[in-house]
Amino acid sequence: MSIQLIKNLEILKLVKSIELFEHYNQQVNQNNLSFSQALFELTQHEMKFRDERAIQSCVKVSNFPHFKTERDFDFDFQPEINQKEILDLHSLVFIEKSENIIFVGTPGTGKTHLATSIGIDAAKKRVSTYFVTFQELINQLKKASYENRLEDRLKFFEKYKVLIIDELGYLEMDTEAANLFFQLIARRYEKHSTIITTNTPFSQWSNIFKNTTLTHALLDRLLHHSKVINIKGPSYRMKEKLSVYDKEVRDKSIK
Ligand code: ADP
Ligand code: MG
């Protein structure tokens, strides 16, 4: 009987039920649990497992560079950042309002870390989320344009409820790149949330896009409903380097 039953569970892809079958079978046989209680618990396990698997696949398809969360972030190291403000963003209310978040600050201050941690929370709530560097985004849009499939690619980046665009400002832009980026932001405006990280203050964005009118139109749409997080502070990368350097100096002085 149980071999046939296990086969049925396999066909129905009830992975957790197969794993826990013996345990619950025993519990019922020993009158520790009623049949309906055992079935209830078994289905609870099965549903929890499905939920976790769905979350994992949402997080997997989001293309995050790492899985660091706000709990891995040392707020004491970066006192300029308002911890409460960041934790509020993790409530994800900004997504319901289609608001944008822009992290502006010097290198190594945790912009990518914090942007990603918000994205991970969104993906865990099964909100469609995608991470892309600005350079990769422009490369993909340009390639699609040459191959006559720009509309599809714009739709791809337009559809995500949360799109994280990392490192705006490093890349030298030509007119085509600036126009492509503007098209995407205009399409997402008031529809979905975009999170941007950049080293470049807004006052210098026209140097990146090399077109003042376009830059104004772009900033207008990005900033209209947005939260701007300015971070001026020490680089955490340097902190790690300095502590390795300090250790080497200490080790040498001990020898
Ligand atoms: P940015 O994007 O601002 O240049 P990152 O977010 O890439 O900086 O941070 C650089 C590295 O330092 C990453 O590995 C990040 O996880 C880490 N990091 C930055 N700030 C902190 C912090 N306050 N606490 C813990 N790790 C941090
Ligand atoms: Mg970064």
Side-chain angles (χ1 to χ4, degrees):
M1 168 61 195
S2 48
I3 291 177
Q4 192 54 49
L5 173 62
I6 296 287
K7 271 195 183 147
N8 288 355
L9 294 174
E10 278 172 2
I11 291 167
L12 292 167
K13 298 195 169 64
L14 297 172
V15 181
K16 273 285 148 185
S17 305
I18 296 167
E19 191 185 311
L20 297 171
F21 170 73
E22 274 311 331
H23 167 75
Y24 279 105
N25 197 27
Q26 253 181 31
Q27 294 294 309
V28 172
N29 287 342
Q30 291 167 4
N31 290 325
N32 295 334
L33 284 179
S34 67
F35 175 71
S36 61
Q37 183 63 25
L39 197 57
F40 172 71
E41 287 186 22
L42 210 54
T43 49
Q44 286 289 104
H45 283 295
E46 195 68 56
M47 275 159 31
K48 185 161 175 270
F49 175 72
R50 284 198 177 178
D51 243 28
E52 282 164 2
R53 210 170 40 180
I55 289 168
Q56 276 169 13
S57 77
C58 281
V59 171
K60 218 169 166 181
V61 297
S62 298
N63 197 32
F64 296 123
H66 51 63
F67 295 104
K68 291 184 187 175
T69 71
E70 74 287 1
R71 286 181 297 284
D72 304 313
F73 198 80
D74 178 1
F75 285 92
D76 291 336
F77 179 78
Q78 210 60 262
E80 258 239 353
I81 298 179
N82 180 340
Q83 181 171 1
K84 185 180 172 303
E85 195 176 32
I86 300 294
L87 298 182
D88 279 354
L89 293 174
H90 281 268
S91 70
L92 308 179
V93 175
F94 74 98
I95 301 173
E96 288 159 31
K97 298 186 191 163
S98 304
E99 286 174 353
N100 302 323
I101 306 175
I102 321 229
F103 289 94
V104 189
T106 41
T109 48
K111 300 181 299 296
T112 303
H113 183 138
L114 292 173
T116 304
S117 74
I118 295 168
I120 290 170
D121 272 4
K124 279 184 175 168
K125 290 249 159 68
R126 303 212 215 170
V127 174
S128 66
T129 302
Y130 197 74
F131 179 103
V132 67
T133 64
F134 184 69
Q135 177 141 20
E136 180 61 27
L137 174 71
I138 296 299
N139 287 348
Q140 286 199 29
L141 292 178
K142 273 192 170 177
K143 188 164 181 283
S145 175
Y146 296 141
E147 291 169 1
N148 250 335
R149 46 179 190 84
L150 178 61
E151 183 55 29
D152 278 0
R153 211 57 199 155
L154 279 169
K155 277 201 178 124
F156 173 84
F157 288 114
E158 183 188 339
K159 73 180 179 209
Y160 290 101
K161 285 222 174 304
V162 178
L163 180 67
I164 304 175
I165 304 173
D166 195 35
E167 297 188 342
L168 185 149
Y170 285 107
L171 186 69
E172 275 289 305
M173 300 264 284
D174 53 28
T175 312
E176 189 197 2
N179 282 327
L180 289 169
F181 185 63
F182 177 76
Q183 276 190 61
L184 178 64
I185 296 303
R187 279 173 177 238
R188 292 183 60 80
Y189 174 59
E190 292 191 327
K191 216 162 131 198
H192 296 313
S193 296
T194 306
I195 304 180
I196 291 181
T197 81
T198 179
N199 292 344
T200 313
F202 299 126
S203 58
Q204 289 168 31
W205 277 32
S206 53
N207 299 338
I208 308 173
F209 295 100
K210 305 209 179 65
N211 177 333
T212 317
T213 316
L214 181 136
T215 306
H216 281 163
L218 183 67
L219 281 172
D220 205 47
R221 281 160 183 77
L222 277 178
L223 298 179
H224 185 193
H225 310 287
S226 70
K227 182 107 214 139
V228 177
I229 313 276
N230 274 298
I231 319 175
K232 276 188 223 87
S235 165
Y236 200 85
R237 292 193 191 97
M238 288 308 285
K239 178 200 157 176
E240 289 178 332
K241 286 258 158 35
L242 288 175
S243 59
V244 170
Y245 174 77
D246 285 349
K247 187 175 177 303
E248 281 173 9
V249 172
R250 267 200 315 277
D251 288 351
K252 273 194 188 132
S253 63
I254 291 165
K255 275 176 201 162

